[in-house]
Amino acid sequence: MPTNKQRRDAARRHLERQQQRRQKQQTAHRRWTLLATIAGFVVLAVVVTVVVIALNNEDKKPAAGSSGSTSPSAPVTHTALPVRSPAKIASRAAMKTTGPCRYAESATTLKNNPDLFDVGLPPDPASTPKATRTAVFATNLGDITVEFDGASAPCNVQSLEYLIGKKFFDNTACPRSVNSGIFVVQCGDPTGSTGGGPTYTVKDENLSKADYSAGTLAMANSGANTNSSQFFFITKDSNQNATAGTGLDKKYTVVGHITKGLDIVQQVAQAGDDGTNQSGGGRPNKDLIFKTVRLEAANG
């Protein structure tokens, strides 16, 4: 049998072995804990780095709907257009002609529209001339030649010829361009407001046969039988398309067609406008200014 001393020594060695195993286990546990902590910090650092990079990249993306370019288009610099104001019209009775064209003034309009020019009334003979006339619009961009259709719109053509003879259109600008839905460049108002003209109005003519193809010249108006001095060049087919909801109703008297210089008015329309006209379009970005307008010899 082992002695008491042997038993004590064996117990001591067993206890020492237990303590050694416990120390090894604690050391291993601390080592793994340290490794896990370090790994945790590494993972956290990686996550933070990824998030920061992602946020930075997100900030660099173009806003939705943008082209990625931050440079705005260069603004159009306009110079002052040539305009003139009419003299105040003295109080008088409205006048009208007695021929077939029935050119007429309105007492209300004479009183209330300060943008009217008193240039008298056109001649209105019993037989309205229907000869074909050529007008040349000498502009800042080149000459535009128009053949007036006296056969289809004799009263409106006679009025335009009368105004050309009065130099009504000389040194005037075209204050409006439209290049969506309809395609026109509107001219004929010395005030540049699209509200001016002579004191009289002209009836509509031949509307049922109106064709608003590119190159057509038609009268602008503010309602039935209110033609005056303002007209528009059609730069692209503007016949009505009911399905698309675009084009012109047959409400505008056709007075002629461009025979030379269509490219000039098309350039004006394609250059865009400033969008300031409440009815659509606005002042052209590329100004069209009539220096002079003259009539050439009659044909027919």
mmCIF file of all heavy atoms in Angstrom, residues 232-249:
data_model
loop_
_atom_site.group_PDB
_atom_site.id
_atom_site.type_symbol
_atom_site.label_atom_id
_atom_site.label_comp_id
_atom_site.label_asym_id
_atom_site.label_seq_id
_atom_site.Cartn_x
_atom_site.Cartn_y
_atom_site.Cartn_z
ATOM 1 N N PHE A 232 -47.826 84.732 -91.803
ATOM 2 C CA PHE A 232 -46.785 83.801 -91.366
ATOM 3 C C PHE A 232 -46.297 82.945 -92.518
ATOM 4 O O PHE A 232 -47.058 82.548 -93.392
ATOM 5 C CB PHE A 232 -47.241 82.931 -90.188
ATOM 6 C CG PHE A 232 -48.561 82.222 -90.372
ATOM 7 C CD1 PHE A 232 -48.631 80.983 -90.995
ATOM 8 C CD2 PHE A 232 -49.739 82.792 -89.897
ATOM 9 C CE1 PHE A 232 -49.841 80.319 -91.150
ATOM 10 C CE2 PHE A 232 -50.954 82.139 -90.051
ATOM 11 C CZ PHE A 232 -51.008 80.896 -90.674
ATOM 12 N N PHE A 233 -44.995 82.710 -92.498
ATOM 13 C CA PHE A 233 -44.362 81.761 -93.406
ATOM 14 C C PHE A 233 -44.464 80.373 -92.768
ATOM 15 O O PHE A 233 -44.106 80.215 -91.592
ATOM 16 C CB PHE A 233 -42.881 82.094 -93.615
ATOM 17 C CG PHE A 233 -42.607 83.429 -94.243
ATOM 18 C CD1 PHE A 233 -42.078 84.466 -93.480
ATOM 19 C CD2 PHE A 233 -42.834 83.646 -95.585
ATOM 20 C CE1 PHE A 233 -41.780 85.695 -94.051
ATOM 21 C CE2 PHE A 233 -42.545 84.867 -96.182
ATOM 22 C CZ PHE A 233 -42.025 85.897 -95.405
ATOM 23 N N ILE A 234 -44.912 79.389 -93.513
ATOM 24 C CA ILE A 234 -44.969 78.022 -92.989
ATOM 25 C C ILE A 234 -43.666 77.316 -93.354
ATOM 26 O O ILE A 234 -43.311 77.202 -94.527
ATOM 27 C CB ILE A 234 -46.188 77.270 -93.543
ATOM 28 C CG1 ILE A 234 -47.480 77.978 -93.076
ATOM 29 C CG2 ILE A 234 -46.186 75.810 -93.093
ATOM 30 C CD1 ILE A 234 -48.762 77.357 -93.592
ATOM 31 N N THR A 235 -42.939 76.866 -92.341
ATOM 32 C CA THR A 235 -41.605 76.309 -92.539
ATOM 33 C C THR A 235 -41.604 74.791 -92.704
ATOM 34 O O THR A 235 -40.618 74.210 -93.161
ATOM 35 C CB THR A 235 -40.699 76.672 -91.358
ATOM 36 O OG1 THR A 235 -41.233 76.109 -90.150
ATOM 37 C CG2 THR A 235 -40.608 78.187 -91.209
ATOM 38 N N LYS A 236 -42.694 74.139 -92.322
ATOM 39 C CA LYS A 236 -42.811 72.684 -92.413
ATOM 40 C C LYS A 236 -44.291 72.366 -92.477
ATOM 41 O O LYS A 236 -45.113 73.117 -91.947
ATOM 42 C CB LYS A 236 -42.156 72.047 -91.171
ATOM 43 C CG LYS A 236 -42.144 70.533 -91.154
ATOM 44 C CD LYS A 236 -41.429 70.049 -89.879
ATOM 45 C CE LYS A 236 -41.441 68.540 -89.769
ATOM 46 N NZ LYS A 236 -40.753 68.084 -88.516
ATOM 47 N N ASP A 237 -44.648 71.267 -93.136
ATOM 48 C CA ASP A 237 -46.064 70.923 -93.302
ATOM 49 C C ASP A 237 -46.838 71.110 -91.996
ATOM 50 O O ASP A 237 -46.499 70.519 -90.972
ATOM 51 C CB ASP A 237 -46.211 69.484 -93.793
ATOM 52 C CG ASP A 237 -47.675 69.119 -94.011
ATOM 53 O OD1 ASP A 237 -48.356 69.828 -94.773
ATOM 54 O OD2 ASP A 237 -48.129 68.134 -93.398
ATOM 55 N N SER A 238 -47.874 71.953 -92.048
ATOM 56 C CA SER A 238 -48.671 72.241 -90.858
ATOM 57 C C SER A 238 -50.149 72.003 -91.104
ATOM 58 O O SER A 238 -51.013 72.611 -90.441
ATOM 59 C CB SER A 238 -48.436 73.694 -90.408
ATOM 60 O OG SER A 238 -47.110 73.873 -89.972
ATOM 61 N N ASN A 239 -50.471 71.124 -92.071
ATOM 62 C CA ASN A 239 -51.860 70.748 -92.266
ATOM 63 C C ASN A 239 -52.347 69.979 -91.046
ATOM 64 O O ASN A 239 -51.586 69.285 -90.367
ATOM 65 C CB ASN A 239 -52.003 69.890 -93.529
ATOM 66 C CG ASN A 239 -51.918 70.728 -94.788
ATOM 67 O OD1 ASN A 239 -52.780 71.563 -95.056
ATOM 68 N ND2 ASN A 239 -50.854 70.532 -95.578
ATOM 69 N N GLN A 240 -53.624 70.086 -90.777
ATOM 70 C CA GLN A 240 -54.174 69.497 -89.557
ATOM 71 C C GLN A 240 -54.051 67.977 -89.545
ATOM 72 O O GLN A 240 -54.346 67.302 -90.527
ATOM 73 C CB GLN A 240 -55.640 69.889 -89.382
ATOM 74 C CG GLN A 240 -56.228 69.468 -88.039
ATOM 75 C CD GLN A 240 -57.673 69.890 -87.898
ATOM 76 O OE1 GLN A 240 -58.461 69.729 -88.836
ATOM 77 N NE2 GLN A 240 -58.040 70.433 -86.753
ATOM 78 N N ASN A 241 -53.621 67.446 -88.418
ATOM 79 C CA ASN A 241 -53.587 66.016 -88.159
ATOM 80 C C ASN A 241 -54.445 65.794 -86.925
ATOM 81 O O ASN A 241 -53.982 65.951 -85.787
ATOM 82 C CB ASN A 241 -52.149 65.536 -87.928
ATOM 83 C CG ASN A 241 -52.058 64.031 -87.758
ATOM 84 O OD1 ASN A 241 -52.978 63.389 -87.251
ATOM 85 N ND2 ASN A 241 -50.940 63.453 -88.155
ATOM 86 N N ALA A 242 -55.721 65.452 -87.145
ATOM 87 C CA ALA A 242 -56.665 65.330 -86.028
ATOM 88 C C ALA A 242 -56.236 64.257 -85.038
ATOM 89 O O ALA A 242 -56.424 64.398 -83.826
ATOM 90 C CB ALA A 242 -58.062 65.039 -86.567
ATOM 91 N N THR A 243 -55.658 63.176 -85.542
ATOM 92 C CA THR A 243 -55.239 62.076 -84.659
ATOM 93 C C THR A 243 -54.137 62.532 -83.716
ATOM 94 O O THR A 243 -54.163 62.251 -82.513
ATOM 95 C CB THR A 243 -54.734 60.880 -85.488
ATOM 96 O OG1 THR A 243 -55.774 60.455 -86.377
ATOM 97 C CG2 THR A 243 -54.337 59.722 -84.583
ATOM 98 N N ALA A 244 -53.172 63.252 -84.259
ATOM 99 C CA ALA A 244 -52.052 63.720 -83.441
ATOM 100 C C ALA A 244 -52.366 65.006 -82.692
ATOM 101 O O ALA A 244 -51.656 65.389 -81.764
ATOM 102 C CB ALA A 244 -50.819 63.929 -84.312
ATOM 103 N N GLY A 245 -53.455 65.678 -83.090
ATOM 104 C CA GLY A 245 -53.805 66.944 -82.459
ATOM 105 C C GLY A 245 -52.866 68.075 -82.825
ATOM 106 O O GLY A 245 -52.632 68.990 -82.041
ATOM 107 N N THR A 246 -52.315 68.010 -84.032
ATOM 108 C CA THR A 246 -51.370 69.030 -84.480
ATOM 109 C C THR A 246 -51.870 69.671 -85.772
ATOM 110 O O THR A 246 -52.819 69.201 -86.396
ATOM 111 C CB THR A 246 -49.980 68.416 -84.734
ATOM 112 O OG1 THR A 246 -50.103 67.378 -85.725
ATOM 113 C CG2 THR A 246 -49.416 67.816 -83.457
ATOM 114 N N GLY A 247 -51.207 70.731 -86.176
ATOM 115 C CA GLY A 247 -51.532 71.383 -87.444
ATOM 116 C C GLY A 247 -52.552 72.495 -87.292
ATOM 117 O O GLY A 247 -53.074 72.773 -86.210
ATOM 118 N N LEU A 248 -52.833 73.127 -88.415
ATOM 119 C CA LEU A 248 -53.716 74.289 -88.453
ATOM 120 C C LEU A 248 -55.107 73.925 -88.959
ATOM 121 O O LEU A 248 -55.238 73.199 -89.955
ATOM 122 C CB LEU A 248 -53.128 75.361 -89.374
ATOM 123 C CG LEU A 248 -51.800 75.997 -88.935
ATOM 124 C CD1 LEU A 248 -51.183 76.761 -90.104
ATOM 125 C CD2 LEU A 248 -52.020 76.932 -87.752
ATOM 126 N N ASP A 249 -56.129 74.439 -88.282
ATOM 127 C CA ASP A 249 -57.483 74.369 -88.833
ATOM 128 C C ASP A 249 -57.533 75.242 -90.085
ATOM 129 O O ASP A 249 -56.732 76.176 -90.230
ATOM 130 C CB ASP A 249 -58.501 74.896 -87.821
ATOM 131 C CG ASP A 249 -58.608 74.004 -86.591
ATOM 132 O OD1 ASP A 249 -58.380 72.785 -86.722
ATOM 133 O OD2 ASP A 249 -58.904 74.530 -85.502
#
